[in-house]
Amino acid sequence: MTVAEVVKKMVEYSKGDLHDINHFMKVYAYAKTIAEGENLSPEQQKLVEVTAVVHDIACPLCRKKYGSADGKHQELEGPAEAEKVLKKLNYANEDISRICYLVSHHHTYDNIDAVDLQILIEADFLVNLFEDNATYLAINTAYSKIFKTDTGKYLCKVMYNLES
């Protein structure tokens, strides 16, 4: 099971929704970069990458079921959707369990329990700040309150031209 197989399955799952596909691909790229910069083990690295690809898997379901894909609905519906896809790809149960936990917490910013969740949240923020056309104040607030990894802080600071 490679990350490329998960990407292909998620592109197929997204049924041509280019916004969703571009979003998860950007989050994947940033998560991969941050994880590499933070020197994660190969196992943690792969787990972070796979999670980044599937983190918003519930968006189509949430838009249909609730009329929006807000974060709390994604956290509620995402784990079951991710589990279905990952089981089809023969992922180990312990990996599926952790990935589903991360999916169910990627919009919860208190009690971040480990570096894999921190990286996922930072990568998602890097993309969402741009996609949401965030103000400088909102970006600066996110930088000071959300970003903890050296690599994530560096990317946010440089990408968004934040003052020292």
Side-chain angles (χ1 to χ4, degrees):
M1 295 124 322
T2 66
V3 178
E5 290 172 308
V6 179
V7 168
K8 289 192 295 188
K9 185 58 79 178
M10 281 301 298
V11 168
E12 184 182 306
Y13 183 92
S14 298
K15 296 180 173 81
D17 186 325
L18 294 179
H19 175 269
D20 284 0
I21 294 166
N22 282 316
H23 177 81
F24 75 68
M25 289 303 296
K26 289 184 279 186
V27 173
Y28 160 65
Y30 287 124
K32 177 177 173 51
T33 301
I34 295 168
E36 287 175 356
E38 298 303 306
N39 298 308
L40 268 58
S41 71
E43 296 80 19
Q44 284 182 302
Q45 179 77 34
K46 184 176 180 184
L47 193 91
V48 165
E49 291 179 25
V50 170
T51 304
V53 174
V54 301
H55 80 283
D56 278 352
I57 192 168
C59 285
L61 172 65
C62 291
R63 286 191 288 267
K64 184 176 180 180
K65 187 172 180 178
Y66 304 105
S68 81
D70 69 73
K72 291 304 163 196
H73 288 134
Q74 289 178 44
E75 288 183 336
L76 178 67
E77 303 287 351
E81 293 298 302
E83 183 177 10
K84 287 181 215 171
V85 168
L86 296 170
K87 281 191 174 195
K88 285 181 185 172
L89 293 170
N90 297 315
Y91 272 79
N93 286 334
E94 60 271 10
D95 289 340
I96 292 172
S97 178
R98 184 62 185 168
I99 292 166
C100 288
Y101 175 84
L102 297 172
V103 168
S104 73
H105 288 82
H106 80 278
H107 285 285
T108 302
Y109 310 128
D110 56 344
N111 298 321
I112 296 172
D113 71 338
V115 70
D116 53 2
L117 181 55
Q118 182 66 43
I119 290 169
L120 177 62
I121 288 171
E122 289 180 8
D124 202 25
F125 256 88
L126 288 172
V127 176
N128 287 334
L129 289 169
F130 173 76
E131 289 179 352
D132 295 343
N133 203 21
T135 65
Y136 182 84
L137 179 60
I139 295 165
N140 207 33
T141 299
Y143 176 81
S144 64
K145 291 188 176 196
I146 299 297
F147 288 81
K148 305 288 184 233
T149 69
D150 289 340
T151 308
K153 287 168 75 172
Y154 173 82
L155 289 172
C156 186
K157 190 173 189 178
V158 174
M159 285 171 61
Y160 293 104
N161 201 25
L162 298 178
E163 300 293 322
S164 295

